[in-house]
Amino acid sequence: MKKEYTELEDFIEDVSFNKWILEKSKKDELIWKEWTAKHPEKWEVMEEAASILIGISFNQIELSETKIQQELDSLHVSITKKEAAFQQPKQNQGSLFTQRLFSIAAVISLLIACTVAVSLFLKPSVIEHRTSFGEFEKIELPDGSQVALNANSSISYKFNQPRKVWLDGEAYFDVLKKTDGQNFQVLTNDLTVKVLGTSFNVNSRYEKTKVFLEEGKVVLEVAELKGNTIEMVPGDLISYSKKSKKILENKTDQTHKNISWRNGVIRFDAAPLPTVLQEITAIYGILFNIQNSQKTDILFSGGIPNDNLAIALENIREVYDVKIEKQGSTYTIGHSKEQRTENRE
């Protein structure tokens, strides 16, 4: 071999090298293995040249087996048509090299284009996180913001707009402040919460949305209200119903019972039995039938677990002194034995 073989073209244009790579010629294989042993520093450039010739210099990408086979068949046909050219005089090899590069480049471009198209087609336009009854999930959004999603809830956002989130149910948000001033939005059926960087809880259930601000500052956008916006400061609790078109609650609440569910406890402050049962229904997805109407006005202050239905129901039994029986998919709340005895007397 008289050539220095320092460039890719030196290998690609060599007839013997082509026969070894493309035709698996044993004779040429022995020649090049002997040459490689003497010039190990040339192995990298030689390997690249071989990769170009067999059309695998590109990174592996995920395509359907059918598409890959079609492209390989096409490449094989192209190579087969050009094999005869290797027998031509040396002066024609430059043209062969150029043609081969164009052919391989076209195949690679097509594969990459197909991959991009498939990727864009399969990529969902809307990302959704959803929890079942009794299930909780911690989520990190693409912008770095953290979300704790309560049971029986969902959040969704467009993959190119991760700071605009739709909420159905309850979630606690710890929003990462952006240096460019881009705000973060939480949209419910009743209102829109706009923030820059803060921590707050949003409960969108029972045809109303309740927002509790733990720290930072948020603005509520309410289309039906005069002025359309409400500014909140830490400790504020505001509840609004689009159905009734009015603010149901607007107070300061520093007890943080509104975010206690993150620690596994649903806290109540002087809540009547129907309110307690309503919250249990939202978390566990069970229904109640109250037969003991005498207990509905008793107020409950305390907590029940949001990850253990049996203990939650036991708490209700003890606090309200009632009997709870499961009938199908419904839990019936009736009189205890003592109460039935008293009623008969």
Side-chain angles (χ1 to χ4, degrees):
M1 298 181 183
K2 298 180 181 180
K3 277 189 175 184
E4 292 293 332
Y5 291 94
T6 57
E7 304 293 336
L8 284 173
E9 290 86 348
D10 296 333
F11 294 94
I12 294 175
E13 294 178 359
D14 189 274
V15 175
S16 175
F17 186 79
N18 275 266
K19 286 184 176 181
W20 172 38
I21 299 300
L22 297 177
E23 301 178 9
K24 309 300 181 184
S25 168
K26 295 296 183 181
K27 176 181 176 181
D28 294 286
E29 180 181 0
L30 292 175
I31 293 174
W32 283 100
K33 283 187 175 181
E34 182 180 349
W35 185 88
T36 303
K38 295 179 180 179
H39 305 279
E41 75 281 359
K42 305 289 187 180
W43 173 252
E44 185 175 352
V45 66
M46 185 174 69
E47 189 177 36
E48 291 179 359
S51 296
I52 290 178
L53 285 176
I54 61 177
I56 61 170
S57 59
F58 48 86
N59 292 329
Q60 290 187 354
I61 49 183
E62 294 185 2
L63 290 174
S64 68
E65 293 184 3
T66 301
K67 187 61 180 178
I68 292 175
Q69 189 58 50
Q70 289 176 348
E71 299 305 330
L72 289 177
D73 291 343
S74 176
L75 181 60
H76 178 70
V77 171
S78 177
I79 292 174
T80 301
K81 289 181 179 179
K82 294 178 175 60
E83 284 182 348
F86 295 129
Q87 308 299 327
Q88 296 178 2
K90 186 64 179 236
Q91 59 269 21
N92 293 331
Q93 294 303 316
S95 174
L96 172 62
F97 170 66
T98 302
Q99 293 175 9
R100 185 176 299 280
L101 286 184
F102 275 119
S103 176
I104 294 174
V107 173
I108 294 174
S109 298
L110 178 58
L111 289 173
I112 293 175
C114 289
T115 301
V116 173
V118 171
S119 175
L120 290 175
F121 178 76
L122 295 179
K123 191 176 185 68
S125 59
V126 176
I127 311 299
E128 183 180 50
H129 296 270
R130 181 178 295 276
T131 55
S132 302
F133 293 113
E135 179 186 12
F136 308 91
E137 183 179 0
K138 290 185 177 180
I139 304 160
E140 180 172 343
L141 299 178
D143 72 329
S145 297
Q146 305 290 326
V147 180
L149 192 61
N150 203 350
N152 186 28
S153 303
S154 68
I155 62 168
S156 60
Y157 58 89
K158 296 180 180 178
F159 77 92
N160 60 342
Q161 290 182 302
R163 288 178 70 85
K164 188 174 184 180
V165 177
W166 281 262
L167 170 68
D168 183 15
E170 184 171 21
Y172 177 87
F173 296 86
D174 190 358
V175 176
L176 182 67
K177 187 173 183 178
K178 302 290 284 187
T179 56
D180 59 3
Q182 182 183 3
N183 64 31
F184 187 99
Q185 299 181 53
V186 179
L187 294 84
T188 72
N189 186 55
D190 300 286
L191 50 80
T192 298
V193 185
K194 281 191 174 182
V195 302
L196 291 177
T198 187
S199 300
F200 58 98
N201 193 83
V202 182
N203 186 323
S204 178
R205 289 188 173 124
Y206 323 123
E207 298 183 328
K208 65 181 180 181
T209 296
K210 181 167 62 175
V211 181
F212 172 73
L213 178 60
E214 183 178 21
E215 62 180 50
K217 183 179 180 179
V218 304
V219 174
L220 307 185
E221 290 189 348
V222 186
E224 294 80 12
L225 292 182
K226 184 178 181 180
N228 295 337
T229 62
I230 304 173
E231 291 189 2
M232 297 180 64
V233 297
D236 280 357
L237 173 67
I238 293 179
S239 178
Y240 174 78
S241 170
K242 183 178 181 179
K243 182 178 181 180
S244 60
K245 296 183 180 180
K246 66 179 181 179
I247 295 176
L248 305 179
E249 291 179 281
N250 187 354
K251 62 182 181 180
T252 299
D253 188 344
Q254 297 290 356
T255 62
H256 287 195
K257 63 180 176 61
N258 297 284
I259 57 176
S260 64
W261 64 266
R262 297 170 57 210
N263 299 318
V265 178
I266 309 172
R267 295 192 63 84
F268 300 94
D269 183 14
L273 178 60
T275 298
V276 176
L277 297 182
Q278 185 182 53
E279 192 65 28
I280 294 178
T281 295
I283 297 299
Y284 293 104
I286 61 177
L287 300 176
F288 290 97
N289 176 25
I290 302 177
Q291 293 183 344
N292 188 352
S293 59
Q294 297 176 358
K295 300 292 185 176
T296 57
D297 294 331
I298 297 177
L299 301 181
F300 172 60
S301 295
I304 60 173
N306 61 3
D307 57 358
N308 192 315
L309 177 60
I311 295 179
L313 293 178
E314 185 60 32
N315 286 357
I316 299 300
R317 290 189 185 96
E318 293 183 2
V319 171
Y320 289 95
D321 189 25
V322 294
K323 184 177 181 180
I324 302 178
E325 294 182 334
K326 184 178 181 181
Q327 299 176 340
S329 60
T330 302
Y331 288 78
T332 299
I333 296 181
H335 298 281
S336 64
K337 291 182 179 179
E338 292 76 8
Q339 288 176 315
R340 289 199 294 270
T341 302
E342 292 175 358
N343 291 339
R344 285 196 296 269
E345 293 177 351

